Each structure stands twice: as structure tokens, then as C-alpha cells.
Amino acid sequence: LQRVYLSKIRQAGCRLLFRDVGEMSFKEKINTERLPEHIAIIMDGNGRWAQKRGQLRVFGHEHGVNAVREASEGAAEIGISYLTLYAFSTENWNRPKQEVESLMHLLVETIDKETPTLMKNGIRLNTIGDIDSLGDDCRKQLFKAIETTKENKRMTLTLALSYSSRWEINRAAQNI
Ligand code: FPP
């Protein structure tokens, strides 16, 4: 289901999601009485998207950030309470060093740049996953944005970073 959601968002280029498309915009077609409280999206396909266009995978990740912004703003706008983005799995650490470094850099830069947008849209940032395995820069930026946005009430945006089913099971067991 999450993949279906993502692929719909991707097909729509996200931009179309809330734009007027002739008779009725996607937004108008949404029945706001029957919205889920929580939507989770697995970020996938950035690399293939870029390669199809003859570009490096990192180009796809950079464009993925635009999709993240539009999905987050759009979800907050229609009244979703929780949006979880599965952005970086533990397996992703096995990618070429340069790709991992670019992703971490992009993450730090995006969190920094987008904090004002989170504030403007009343979005609280949260994170799950093995955050201790992230670099110092990344953790610092993440905690700074979490602290800055902590009073926001409209929607909670959770970034799953260094996530794995093992981590989720461990956390669930600890909470029993
Ligand atoms: C999936 O595409 C995407 C990722 C593994 C990383 C996504 C992370 C970012 C764009 C960093 C910024 C993130 C946020 C949340 C601000 P893929 O490489 O698996 O593509 P493929 O399926 O075509 O190989």
C-alpha cells in the first residue's frame, strides 16, 4: 500500500497533487472525511528515475527532496496527522561510499533549509531508527530541528533513518 501511495505521488510528480488539472484538482477529489490518520511512504526509485534520464543517482536523490517537501506540505494541508518517511535503511549503508556521503550531506542540508517550511506549515519533526549510527553532523542537525519544531501541532513528520525491521522489533519489545 505504501508503495502504491508513493508511486501515485511520483507519477503525479507531486506537483500535480494539489494543482488544478482541468475539471477537478486531486485535492478536490479527496474525501477529507475518510482520510487515514497516518501515512507512511517508503522512499524508493530515486536512482532509477535519474538513470532513466541519463543522470547520476544523486541527481534523483536531490529531486527526491522536492517530492518530500511537496508530500509533506500536501499531507499537512489535507489534514493528515502523521506522515512517516522511510528514507534510509540499514542496508543503504552498503551503497558506494560516495552515494552514502552525498545522501547524508543532502539530509543535513535539507533539514537545515526546510526547518522554516516546517514552522510555516505547523509540522513537528520526529525521527525513528538507529539514530546513533548517523554521523555527528546529521544527528546534531536532526535534534536541532526536532527541538525547534517541537511545539508544532498540525502534523508530525517522522523520518525513519538507519531503519530496519530488527530495530522496530527491538523497540517494540522494549516498550512491552
Ligand atoms: C530511494 O531511492 C531513496 C533513498 C535510499 C534515499 C532517500 C533520501 C534522501 C533523498 C535524503 C533526504 C531525505 C529526506 C527525508 C529529507 P533508491 O536509491 O533506492 O532508488 P532505486 O530504487 O532506483 O535504486
Side-chain angles (χ1 to χ4, degrees):
L1 180 68
Q2 291 160 355
R3 277 177 199 269
V4 171
Y5 251 111
L6 179 62
S7 95
K8 285 231 168 99
I9 286 170
R10 212 186 286 130
Q11 279 162 16
C14 255
R15 245 160 244 114
L16 274 183
L17 198 58
F18 299 104
R19 200 169 73 189
D20 219 359
V21 283
E23 339 86 61
M24 225 188 188
S25 69
F26 280 118
K27 189 181 168 190
E28 283 164 336
K29 284 186 189 162
I30 293 170
N31 179 352
T32 48
E33 314 248 296
R34 299 190 63 226
L35 285 175
E37 199 184 8
H38 190 164
I39 294 179
I41 297 174
I42 299 172
M43 293 179 69
D44 191 18
N46 288 350
R48 274 167 290 158
W49 183 90
Q51 278 165 343
K52 250 197 215 161
R53 286 158 180 80
Q55 301 282 349
L56 296 174
R57 296 174 58 81
V58 67
F59 178 79
H61 296 316
E62 282 163 10
H63 277 257
V65 170
N66 296 336
V68 164
R69 183 188 313 110
E70 298 200 27
S72 308
E73 286 186 317
E77 193 181 326
I78 59 171
I80 301 296
S81 302
Y82 299 92
L83 177 66
T84 298
L85 299 177
Y86 282 83
F88 190 90
S89 69
T90 48
E91 286 97 53
N92 289 151
W93 289 115
N94 300 324
R95 294 196 174 197
K97 190 167 173 263
Q98 209 184 351
E99 188 177 347
V100 172
E101 280 175 6
S102 303
L103 276 170
M104 289 301 140
H105 178 74
L106 194 57
L107 187 65
V108 172
E109 190 186 71
T110 304
I111 296 169
D112 185 32
K113 266 205 205 144
E114 299 298 333
T115 302
T117 313
L118 295 177
M119 295 305 289
K120 190 182 94 196
N121 288 284
I123 301 173
R124 178 173 80 90
L125 189 70
N126 179 34
T127 186
I128 53 170
D130 182 13
I131 303 308
D132 290 343
S133 66
L134 302 172
D136 281 353
D137 270 10
C138 196
R139 268 205 318 272
K140 230 161 113 186
Q141 197 65 58
L142 212 46
F143 290 140
K144 188 173 156 204
I146 288 172
E147 179 62 25
T148 308
T149 61
K150 72 178 180 197
E151 302 297 340
N152 291 342
K153 302 268 184 287
R154 195 171 176 204
M155 186 181 83
T156 299
L157 171 66
T158 300
L159 297 184
L161 298 166
S162 202
Y163 69 84
S164 62
S165 46
R166 182 187 290 256
W167 184 87
E168 299 255 7
I169 292 166
N170 250 337
R171 189 184 60 156
Q174 277 164 17
N175 286 343
I176 292 172

